[in-house]
Amino acid sequence: MHTSRRTLLAATAGAAAAVAGAAPALAGSAKHEDGNRGDKRLRALISRMTLEEKVGQLFVMRVYGHSATEPDQADVDANLAEIGVRTAAELIAKYRVGGIIYFGWAHNTREPHQIADLSNGIQKASLGQPRGLPVLVSTDQEHGIVARVGTPATLFPGAMALGAGGSRTDARTAGRIAGAELRAMGILQDYAPVADVNVNPANPVIGVRSFGADPQAVAGLVAAQVKGYQGAGVAATSKHFPGHGDTETDSHYGFPVIEHTEAQWAELDAPPFKAAIAAGIDSIMTAHIMVPALDPAGDPATLSRPILTGILREKLGYDGVVVTDSLGMEGVRTKYGDDRVPVLALKAGVDQLLNPPKLDIAWNAVLAAVRGGELTEARLDESILRVLRLKAKLGLFKDPYVTGRGVDRTVGIPSHLKSADRVAERTTTLLVNSGGLLPLSRRTHTKVLVVGADPASPSGTTGPPTTVLANALTELGFTPTVLSTGTAPSAATIAKAVAAAQDVDAVLVGTYNVTAASTQRALVNQLLATGRPVVALAIRNPYDVAQLPDVKAYLASYSWTDVELRAAVRVLAGRVGPRGGLPVPVQRADDPAVVLYPVGHGLTY
């Protein structure tokens, strides 16, 4: 274990939690509609299904196109190439899938009315089949840096920003409003909130998607979000079990190994999942990570019976839906072929198989496993019952359709947008303010040069960040100039920024994941050398401040979505005071054993 990780594990550990602590008996979707009577009706439905229909019900699949029946030709071509069907309707007719996942890159989420129409088209296609069942439509709407539905829907600060705000009320409000908007568009399962405890600053895949490094604080915010989403009629999904917070490998591209002992897992990783279960979480997503202390077999948790059945089901008492992370990710494909993965996942205790790279291979493999006796039909029935219970709980059997009027009344309405702005203001964190440089006065620092990284919009917000920051400054009476310098500014770009700084009263620089080798350091240091006041804003990881110790004023927004950037400018200008506190410790860049700014650090005016 690296010194940095060891320090963080020590710095963030709370009281050890017993692994075997049983959760409330009615956890998750076990609190299903009408109790046993509801189950009886659902079992009757299952008994009438063909084996092929049962297999389909376990899959949640991507499909290209903005419409269930008339996608653009490019999306038809993509569907034919990847799935062997032309449209979502054909996908449902051929494979009888139980769920569909929406992505922006699959052109499912152009705008709210189109999304609602797509959802209705999917339901119509499925219910029109013999013994047709409603479809559970899902997406990754975490907010912050991961959101599939963009503006004009309401976008809230992401998890680490909410962690900085520290308010369970705000976390619940964000979940409630976001859930209401998803439901209005026919999306009834959200793969949020992230329950991973981010104790590794080098974590490339979780980072600001986590509420923070303190397991108890994360647990409280996870439970609040679960109640918010599910109170709005959307199934929440805590992820990635058993905990993806301490890794330096991205499971999309590799196979991470988590070296926590069983005691460390119980202390650091388990509390948020236990809190989610106690809050009645509807679904839990697995992680494609190896945790040798929990299962020495060397399998990813997604395929581990000791982890999913032994710990999640039996020790934690969870009886809701278990969904895999995407089966197209490298972390689950390194050891077994795409035909074995879905079968092994079902044997481990999974209920929903998410987004296999080749649906025909995965679907036929499950079918063959049942016909060949490796899986029993009763095992499939068990998972299908959990999936149908969830669909019943969400009201999909009573009314699977949404309306345009519902979209207009709910999605991106002024009161929701105002709530997002207020929540964001309570998350912005002031890390450094030497000599009281902030708040900036528009009278003494009228002309502001805005430079920095302009990563692509994370979630369908307007962007780019430098422009959003400049527009927010203009609204507050400043006169900004914009120069996008990127995540790796060249010497020529840096020289241009230094020249532009000569004509202004202050410089605002947006930093993005600054490393020791990053030329963003040269940019900031050369701007500091001009003598102009320099304010830096970490637009993703708050750890940037450790690489730039000479900056006199440093803020953290935890994401570069519009709502967080605009709030940061209101704080910078003194329209609201900074109220956020670091949810993770920031260590010295050259000596990770030294904590520069502890959890909770945040200055005020």
Side-chain angles (χ1 to χ4, degrees):
M1 189 180 287
H2 301 297
T3 311
S4 59
R5 285 161 70 197
R6 200 163 42 236
T7 307
L8 273 170
L9 292 175
T12 59
V19 181
L26 288 176
S29 300
K31 294 182 283 192
H32 47 275
E33 173 220 40
D34 294 334
N36 291 332
R37 269 180 322 181
D39 263 10
K40 201 172 173 185
R41 284 200 297 271
L42 298 176
R43 286 183 203 278
L45 280 178
I46 295 169
S47 71
R48 292 196 290 273
M49 292 164 73
T50 66
L51 178 56
E52 289 80 0
E53 287 164 7
K54 288 181 178 184
V55 170
Q57 198 59 210
L58 303 173
F59 282 95
V60 181
M61 190 59 185
R62 70 188 177 281
V63 64
Y64 291 87
H66 69 288
S67 158
T69 51
E70 297 178 349
D72 295 341
Q73 188 59 46
D75 292 325
V76 170
D77 295 343
N79 284 329
L80 285 169
E82 289 187 24
I83 320 172
V85 298
R86 297 164 53 82
T87 65
E90 285 185 18
L91 166 70
I92 290 162
K94 183 171 182 181
Y95 290 104
R96 302 301 291 271
V97 291
I100 285 181
I101 178 173
Y102 287 172
F103 290 105
W105 51 258
H107 312 133
N108 305 137
T109 56
R110 288 181 182 175
E111 56 86 22
H113 282 279
Q114 166 270 319
I115 296 169
D117 289 344
L118 173 60
S119 300
N120 284 342
I122 284 167
Q123 300 298 355
K124 187 178 174 190
S126 189
L127 292 166
Q129 296 295 318
R131 298 166 303 283
L133 294 169
V135 173
L136 188 51
V137 175
S138 61
T139 200
D140 294 283
Q141 192 77 353
E142 295 173 15
H143 295 265
I145 71 166
V146 176
R148 311 303 186 200
V149 180
T151 54
T154 307
L155 292 161
F156 276 88
M160 194 172 282
L162 291 171
S167 165
R168 294 181 186 183
T169 303
D170 281 352
R172 188 168 183 165
T173 297
R176 177 178 54 79
I177 290 174
E181 295 199 4
L182 288 173
R183 187 170 177 98
M185 294 178 275
I187 301 170
L188 266 64
Q189 185 177 23
D190 188 14
Y191 300 132
V194 170
D196 303 315
V197 180
N198 200 75
V199 293
N200 191 333
N203 194 328
V205 63
I206 305 301
V208 295
R209 296 167 62 198
S210 161
F211 288 107
D214 179 300
Q216 301 307 325
V218 172
L221 292 166
V222 164
Q225 285 238 289
V226 169
K227 287 172 181 165
Y229 279 116
Q230 295 188 180
V234 166
T237 310
S238 56
K239 60 187 186 186
H240 307 79
F241 190 82
H244 208 317
D246 187 8
T247 171
E248 291 176 22
T249 304
D250 184 338
S251 52
H252 290 82
Y253 310 108
F255 185 17
V257 180
I258 308 281
E259 300 285 6
H260 290 184
T261 64
E262 194 169 343
Q264 283 175 328
W265 176 80
E267 196 173 336
L268 286 163
D269 302 296
F273 290 101
K274 293 175 85 169
I277 292 167
I281 187 84
D282 281 326
S283 47
I284 289 177
M285 181 179 283
T286 67
H288 304 324
I289 57 172
M290 192 200 307
V291 190
L294 302 184
D295 180 2
D299 288 333
T302 299
L303 310 181
S304 166
R305 187 167 177 85
I307 290 174
L308 298 187
T309 298
I311 295 175
L312 182 57
R313 295 281 191 216
E314 292 167 4
K315 287 186 178 172
L316 301 187
Y318 176 67
D319 191 38
V321 169
V322 173
V323 56
T324 69
D325 204 343
S326 169
L327 296 181
M329 290 165 61
E330 202 54 41
V332 79
R333 300 173 76 193
T334 51
K335 193 172 172 185
Y336 301 101
D338 291 336
D339 57 333
R340 293 301 297 151
V341 166
V343 175
L344 294 172
L346 289 168
K347 290 175 81 169
V350 157
D351 302 306
Q352 287 186 306
L353 300 159
L354 177 63
N355 202 25
K358 290 286 182 190
L359 180 57
D360 59 336
I361 290 173
W363 190 88
N364 281 303
V366 175
L367 194 62
V370 178
R371 287 184 174 149
E374 186 180 5
L375 286 170
T376 64
E377 202 164 337
R379 167 66 192 89
L380 265 54
D381 292 353
E382 192 186 308
S383 283
I384 294 164
L385 180 60
R386 287 197 190 97
V387 172
L388 295 187
R389 274 179 191 159
L390 182 51
K391 290 180 180 183
K393 179 188 172 185
L394 296 169
L396 277 166
F397 287 99
K398 289 185 178 138
D399 183 11
Y401 297 106
V402 292
T403 65
R405 191 157 165 253
V407 170
D408 291 335
R409 276 202 312 249
T410 314
V411 181
I413 58 175
S415 63
H416 287 180
L417 297 171
K418 192 173 179 183
S419 284
D421 282 335
R422 296 293 87 81
V423 168
E425 286 171 357
R426 294 189 278 272
T427 67
T428 306
T429 309
L430 180 59
L431 301 172
V432 181
N433 194 21
S434 303
L437 175 56
L438 294 181
L440 276 189
S441 162
R442 64 181 179 187
R443 286 182 288 281
T444 55
H445 298 89
T446 313
K447 293 198 288 187
V448 180
L449 172 65
V450 182
V451 300
D454 273 334
S457 169
S459 55
T461 61
T462 55
T466 52
T467 304
V468 175
L469 293 167
N471 290 343
L473 285 165
T474 302
E475 281 173 31
L476 296 181
F478 293 85
T479 309
T481 1
V482 175
L483 178 62
S484 176
T485 49
T487 53
S490 64
T493 301
I494 292 170
K496 202 183 286 186
V498 167
Q502 310 302 326
D503 302 322
V504 297
D505 305 311
V507 180
L508 172 59
V509 54
T511 66
Y512 182 90
N513 293 6
V514 182
T515 61
S518 173
T519 54
Q520 291 179 67
R521 291 179 72 195
L523 169 72
V524 174
N525 289 330
Q526 289 189 42
L527 287 168
L528 285 167
T530 65
R532 294 288 185 275
V534 174
V535 180
L537 171 66
I539 65 172
R540 185 167 177 166
N541 288 336
Y543 312 115
D544 288 2
V545 66
Q547 297 287 354
L548 296 162
D550 297 327
V551 173
K552 299 291 185 285
Y554 222 126
L555 294 152
S557 66
Y558 307 97
S559 175
W560 62 106
T561 50
D562 297 6
V563 70
E564 287 158 296
L565 296 177
R566 289 195 309 262
V569 169
R570 290 195 293 278
V571 169
L572 175 153
R575 292 303 173 93
V576 291
R579 290 172 59 180
L582 277 174
V584 292
V586 174
Q587 300 147 289
R588 266 184 68 149
D590 56 352
D591 185 1
V594 177
V595 174
L596 286 176
Y597 304 106
V599 169
H601 171 81
L603 306 174
T604 53
Y605 299 147

